[in-house]
Amino acid sequence: MTTTAGHAAAPAPPAASAHVAGPRAAWPDEGATSFGARTAGALAVGGGALVTVAVAAPHLAHHALLAGALLALAATTAAGAVAALRGPGRAPRAAAGAATATGAAVLVVAPTWGLVGTAAVTAGALTLGGAVLLGVAARTPVARAGRAPGPWARLGVLAVGALLASAATVHGLAATEAGAHAVPHGSHGLLLDPGTHGHHG
């Protein structure tokens, strides 16, 4: 005899997954403005952290405490920037806090080392500017998130953001002590003595 218990015990069909694969549905609560601010902010913060490392590293021998603290802040900020690039959530907010501390620190500490110029200003501007963008992304209400950007829009934001951040980062690195001792672009190759080249016995 058939009972209703048999029907109740039958396995239910699998529920549809709430997560749909694809760039557009990866983070449905993140709109175009939030995505742009988070991406550009993370790229700027990462570049600022790199410049901060180049500013602080040469001073480890004579200012170990300050330089070490600045390097630790820069490393934390760089890690936060990478985490913020991976997606929304708590990472952008944490990265914004680390970037704010790093930007303020490099602008305060660098002048005590006699570094008042392009490198320190670039490091501070990138980290603090990026922190503002990450803060905007972290505070965007879900109700105002708008439509999630498509794959081409994401690619465009990444390309433009990376281009601008890398240009500013290279400009800042060139003004550091490491940049001053770098080999000029295009001069890489074998160093031959012009006086002996071509004279073989």
Side-chain angles (χ1 to χ4, degrees):
M1 185 175 69
T2 305
T3 62
T4 57
H7 295 287
S17 175
H19 176 76
V20 181
R24 182 181 295 276
W27 301 290
D29 292 337
E30 185 181 39
T33 301
S34 178
F35 172 79
R38 176 176 62 81
T39 303
L43 291 170
V45 164
L50 290 177
V51 180
T52 303
V53 169
V55 168
H59 298 274
L60 275 173
H62 304 290
H63 306 90
L65 185 60
L66 282 177
L70 195 53
L71 286 173
L73 277 175
T76 303
T77 300
V82 173
L85 275 176
R86 292 175 59 87
R90 297 181 179 180
R93 189 183 302 273
T100 301
T102 301
V106 72
L107 290 177
V108 170
V109 172
T112 66
W113 297 336
L115 301 176
V116 183
T118 303
V121 170
T122 301
L126 282 173
T127 49
L128 292 176
V132 171
L133 291 174
L134 289 175
V136 170
R139 289 174 174 81
T140 300
V142 174
R144 299 181 184 177
R147 184 179 179 182
W152 288 109
R154 291 176 182 272
L155 182 61
V157 170
L158 280 170
V160 173
L163 180 64
L164 295 176
S166 62
T169 301
V170 169
H171 183 65
L173 289 173
T176 63
E177 184 175 336
H181 293 88
V183 178
H185 180 69
S187 62
H188 302 279
L190 296 176
L191 297 178
L192 300 176
D193 186 353
T196 60
H197 181 64
H199 299 281
H200 302 284

